[in-house]
Amino acid sequence: MSAAEATTAGSPTAATVPVIPGFHPDPSVCRVGDDYYLVNSSFEYVPGVPIWHSRDLVHWTQVGNVLTRDAQFPAARAGDSGGIYAPTLRHHDGRFWLITSDVTDEHGGHRLFSAPAIEGPWSDAIELPELRGIDPDLAWTDDGECLVTYCSWTDGASAAWQAAIDPDTGRVLEAPRKVWTGTGLGHTEGPHLVRHDGWWVLVAAEGGTERGHVVSVARSRDPRGPFENAPHNPAYTHRSTEHPVQNLGHADLVERPDGSWAAVHLGVRPRGMTPGYHVNGRETFVAEVDWVDGWPVFTASEATLPERAWDVDDRFEALHPRWVSPRRRIEEFARLVPDGLEVDGTGDGSGVYARLQSEHWTASIELDIDPGSVVHAEVRLDERHRAGVRLAGGRASAVWTVGGHVIDVGDGASDGPVGAGASVHHLEIASVPSSTGGPDDLVLSADGRRLGIVDGRYLSTEVAAGFTGRVVGVRVERGRALVRRVAIVEA
């Protein structure tokens, strides 16, 4: 679908709205026939590396996750914003390949997986301990050689390094070598090698993943380099502008069946007073790519996006791949039952969460709790930054955790006896326009009673730091809860 074909006057377009909103950073894309497949970073959350399918690069459906077993990713050891960074997805010789980095891995982190179909089964990890770094890419030369190009600080400043491997065994076939040092902006990362018209084009991110983030490109006739920088670098950025989408970077290019090209990349939507606050993480955007004198030239897509595509109304007849947990697989502490999802207390911060994808929204959670249980319906940014409604001891209270300090915002008696197994409770968290110059306010309610309001700045990346975004769901601190329904509706 071309941008012209997709544009409708007055409708939101991909120039300012992500095609996969919410905490879905570092997109990598490949095409097989008429089908596009895309993956994202997932950090400490499991199942890891969400998989998406599209026919037009605009309408996306999640079809699964790559990392579903401890043998693939032992998530328990990952800290906040640790774990899985920047995957690359490719299709070669009838097989899907995915390479990523686990930054908690003592060997340096690169892990290689493959599958006969996008739905899997995906293999256990092949580790590449000789290649120390992050953000690995896979590319095959005309003679079948498999090259891994990645970001490393082996001799000081970050740069793109490369080595040939045997993808079936993970054996590194040569000493790693530096192939590109960037343009001088610093923080060279996220390299991808793409073939076009006899050139090997190296697309990378530079400038750090904050407001200075850019897409830079270089090229060579040989995939091993040397690479020359594009005269128009940085090739794509919104830095130092008033554009509503900022922090552009981590672009991956794909050719459409009709011969035109596009790119997926990450960006954020900051809101509020300076410095601007983004809360839903780094999101996936799409851009158009034209080739001028052999160089890729990026322009924001004007494709029309579907409205209300990300509303959720889940009664847990099955466990949708959207549901994730930090550091612990959901099946270890939750199970599907006839009336919903039964969740056991863990006491370790794990829970059942979905990524938030709208700028303003209302999350409604309907649940029962066992006597003596302590249950949270909450928005989580990381372990030290969260806000929600706590049910315990016959009362509902609004609880805010900031910098690890727990604050009671307000409480009140529930309409029903909290802790009675037959009592169904309706908890609500709503993101509404900010009253303080922040990105939003979070209004916390239980059984129709407003309990408190939290300033959304304190659940933003600019305050809490890190690389993830907000998720919403249920955490059982002690006892057991039956989650009957979760609805997340764009406001």
Side-chain angles (χ1 to χ4, degrees):
M1 177 187 297
S2 70
E5 291 170 332
T7 301
T8 301
S11 299
T13 74
T16 57
V17 179
V19 291
I20 306 178
F23 156 39
H24 293 104
D26 308 323
S28 177
V29 66
C30 71
R31 179 176 61 85
V32 183
D34 292 329
D35 296 290
Y36 301 94
Y37 299 101
L38 182 148
V39 293
N40 301 103
S41 297
S42 50
F43 298 92
E44 72 267 30
Y45 289 90
V46 284
V49 185
I51 308 168
W52 301 86
H53 170 257
S54 177
R55 283 294 185 95
D56 61 5
L57 295 173
V58 176
H59 301 76
W60 292 92
T61 301
Q62 188 177 358
V63 295
N65 296 279
V66 174
L67 307 182
T68 61
R69 307 186 302 276
D70 287 344
Q72 297 171 309
F73 169 46
R77 63 191 184 184
D80 290 339
S81 289
I84 298 300
Y85 280 28
T88 294
L89 178 68
R90 296 292 182 254
H91 188 263
H92 178 74
D93 256 357
R95 193 168 184 85
F96 286 94
W97 295 86
L98 184 134
I99 191 168
T100 188
S101 45
D102 175 3
V103 300
T104 54
D105 192 302
E106 63 183 1
H107 299 304
H110 295 328
R111 290 172 166 256
L112 179 64
F113 307 86
S114 65
I118 196 67
E119 298 85 2
W122 286 88
S123 67
D124 288 345
I126 295 175
E127 297 186 20
L128 305 173
E130 298 94 333
L131 308 183
R132 302 184 64 84
I134 60 170
D135 300 1
D137 175 75
L138 286 175
W140 279 264
T141 66
D142 290 338
D143 60 7
E145 185 178 44
C146 182
L147 298 176
V148 176
T149 308
Y150 59 100
C151 168
S152 181
W153 297 265
T154 297
D155 67 350
S158 60
W161 287 66
Q162 189 183 82
I165 69 164
D166 178 347
D168 293 318
T169 66
R171 186 165 66 94
V172 178
L173 304 178
E174 60 185 343
R177 62 191 176 279
K178 188 188 299 184
V179 294
W180 189 61
T181 58
T183 67
L185 290 179
H187 302 286
T188 301
E189 59 188 3
H192 290 300
L193 270 178
V194 180
R195 290 291 299 274
H196 180 264
D197 197 22
W199 291 99
W200 286 89
V201 179
L202 181 65
V203 183
E206 291 189 286
T209 197
E210 297 81 34
R211 296 295 188 270
H213 215 202
V214 305
V215 177
S216 295
V217 296
R219 71 182 183 185
S220 173
R221 294 292 186 184
D222 188 328
R224 297 171 172 270
F227 289 90
E228 61 171 318
N229 289 335
H232 63 299
N233 273 332
Y236 195 38
T237 183
H238 289 161
R239 65 180 186 175
S240 301
T241 73
E242 296 182 12
H243 197 284
V245 181
Q246 291 292 325
N247 302 33
L248 272 58
H250 277 265
D252 195 12
L253 273 59
V254 65
E255 184 178 10
R256 296 184 176 99
D258 65 4
S260 64
W261 285 71
V264 294
H265 62 88
L266 67 78
V268 306
R269 293 178 287 172
R271 292 176 286 157
M273 294 286 289
T274 186
Y277 303 88
H278 75 281
V279 299
N280 284 351
R282 297 170 299 158
E283 308 175 289
T284 292
F285 291 79
V286 67
E288 297 296 320
V289 174
D290 292 318
W291 294 90
V292 179
D293 297 329
W295 295 106
V297 175
F298 299 77
T299 56
S301 172
E302 292 293 344
T304 301
L305 298 182
E307 296 185 17
R308 310 196 69 87
W310 306 103
D311 287 357
V312 171
D313 190 350
D314 200 327
R315 298 173 188 268
F316 296 98
E317 296 174 356
L319 193 63
H320 191 280
R322 72 169 64 91
W323 297 105
V324 295
S325 176
R327 289 180 281 278
R328 189 171 179 182
R329 290 182 292 115
I330 291 173
E331 56 266 35
E332 294 180 8
F333 60 88
R335 68 211 62 83
L336 293 168
V337 296
D339 293 327
L341 184 69
E342 193 173 64
V343 183
D344 294 333
T346 63
D348 61 5
S350 53
V352 181
Y353 300 95
R355 293 164 171 90
L356 285 161
Q357 296 176 279
S358 303
E359 290 190 301
H360 294 296
W361 42 266
T362 298
S364 303
I365 298 172
E366 182 180 304
L367 51 75
D368 299 350
I369 69 172
D370 285 356
S373 297
V374 179
V375 179
H376 299 256
E378 65 182 12
V379 174
R380 179 188 195 272
L381 187 64
D382 60 29
E383 201 66 21
R384 293 163 50 84
H385 300 85
R386 57 176 86 220
V389 178
R390 180 177 186 262
L391 292 176
R395 299 193 71 83
S397 58
V399 178
W400 172 28
T401 302
V402 57
H405 299 283
V406 180
I407 302 167
D408 287 327
V409 180
D411 64 5
S414 174
D415 287 346
V418 175
S423 178
V424 178
H425 297 279
H426 301 268
L427 310 182
E428 185 177 283
I429 307 172
S431 166
V432 302
S434 174
S435 59
T436 63
D440 61 357
D441 288 341
L442 297 176
V443 180
L444 311 174
S445 304
D447 296 325
R449 300 185 183 188
R450 178 178 292 191
L451 302 178
I453 300 177
V454 169
D455 186 335
R457 287 179 293 185
Y458 296 97
L459 274 79
S460 73
T461 298
E462 282 72 19
V463 170
F467 300 119
T468 60
R470 290 177 181 173
V471 295
V472 66
V474 175
R475 173 172 58 94
V476 179
E477 183 179 335
R478 185 174 68 243
R480 183 175 299 174
L482 175 63
V483 184
R484 295 178 175 269
R485 180 187 181 195
V486 177
I488 308 168
V489 179
E490 181 179 356

